[in-house]
Amino acid sequence: ISYSSTRVGMDNICSDEKTPRKTKIICTMGPKCWSEAGMGKLMDAGMNITRFNFSHGTHAAHQDVLDRLNKVCEEKGTVIGKLLDTKGPEIRTAMLKGHKRIELVAGQDIIVAAVGEEYTEWEGYKTETETKIGLSYEKLCQSVKVGGKILIADGSISIEVLEILNEKELKGRVMNTKKLGERKNCNLPG
């Protein structure tokens, strides 16, 4: 490594002068640092940008934190960037009968229903002859193809699409054994 490629020479290394930091520190605001004292400690430690994760909490709660942050910034005479991480559309699994998790077994057939916004009221179930679950995505059957995959719970459950039964239901095969819970996230890769 040479001076011409790094622009760092012995005079830089041996100097008592501090080199300005060229990176930014982003801190996600969570309950442990919502107090004014907590925010002040983060600022003293070098925080440049705060991240508000809108996947959790309410808008009112985030506004309260933002107001406290602005107050601390004013008291310290500093400027902190604000990053609002808003969640996009999500696909979730529907409720389950009795709110009890369902054991999905590798190789079993399953019916997946596109229940849309009714997913908080609709209930999936497992009997000796049939397993049926719901997803919050209304256009599920128009968006997947036979042979495609549905990934549930961060990919810990995989379902292969075998047949589109109608506009609201499809038949799939569970690829791995795992218990399924309510309101789990879903992805449709591809």
Side-chain angles (χ1 to χ4, degrees):
I1 298 178
S2 68
Y3 172 76
S4 62
S5 65
T6 63
R7 300 285 189 249
V8 175
M10 287 304 291
D11 56 332
N12 297 107
I13 295 169
C14 297
S15 171
D16 290 333
E17 197 174 302
K18 285 192 172 186
T19 305
R21 189 176 59 184
K22 295 181 180 182
T23 60
K24 301 294 180 202
I25 298 174
I26 302 172
C27 299
T28 298
M29 301 306 290
K32 290 193 176 189
C33 59
W34 283 347
S35 68
E36 291 178 22
M39 290 179 202
K41 286 180 185 177
L42 289 173
M43 287 180 195
D44 294 342
M47 173 176 69
N48 302 103
I49 301 168
T50 57
R51 174 180 171 262
F52 292 85
N53 185 359
F54 280 81
S55 292
H56 307 285
T58 64
H59 286 212
H62 285 296
Q63 183 64 56
D64 291 343
V65 175
L66 181 60
D67 292 342
R68 284 194 298 278
L69 175 66
N70 287 334
K71 180 181 175 193
V72 174
C73 285
E74 191 174 313
E75 289 171 358
K76 289 189 168 284
T78 188
V79 176
I80 297 290
K82 286 93 177 174
L83 175 69
L84 307 181
D85 189 352
T86 58
K87 64 180 186 175
E90 296 178 313
I91 304 173
R92 296 277 179 186
T93 59
M95 302 298 104
L96 300 170
K97 267 212 191 334
H99 302 288
K100 294 185 177 159
R101 297 186 327 161
I102 293 176
E103 179 82 28
L104 300 179
V105 179
Q108 83 172 83
D109 288 345
I110 187 169
I111 303 296
V112 182
V115 297
E117 292 183 19
E118 296 173 14
Y119 82 101
T120 56
E121 294 136 30
W122 193 93
E123 292 183 334
Y125 58 88
K126 180 177 183 175
T127 65
E128 289 183 23
T129 58
E130 181 180 55
T131 302
K132 194 170 193 176
I133 64 169
L135 298 184
S136 65
Y137 185 42
E138 205 166 315
K139 297 192 183 282
L140 173 70
C141 296
Q142 292 78 29
S143 300
V144 297
K145 293 182 172 100
V146 172
K149 301 270 189 291
I150 299 171
L151 303 178
I152 301 174
D154 296 321
S156 66
I157 298 171
S158 182
I159 298 172
E160 181 183 6
V161 178
L162 298 177
E163 179 183 357
I164 307 296
L165 300 174
N166 55 51
E167 287 186 5
K168 294 288 183 184
E169 291 184 335
L170 63 83
K171 181 179 181 181
R173 177 158 300 127
V174 178
M175 304 304 290
N176 54 317
T177 301
K178 184 89 174 163
K179 284 196 174 190
L180 171 69
E182 300 177 330
R183 297 179 190 252
K184 296 300 176 190
N185 64 353
C186 302
N187 285 292
L188 309 173

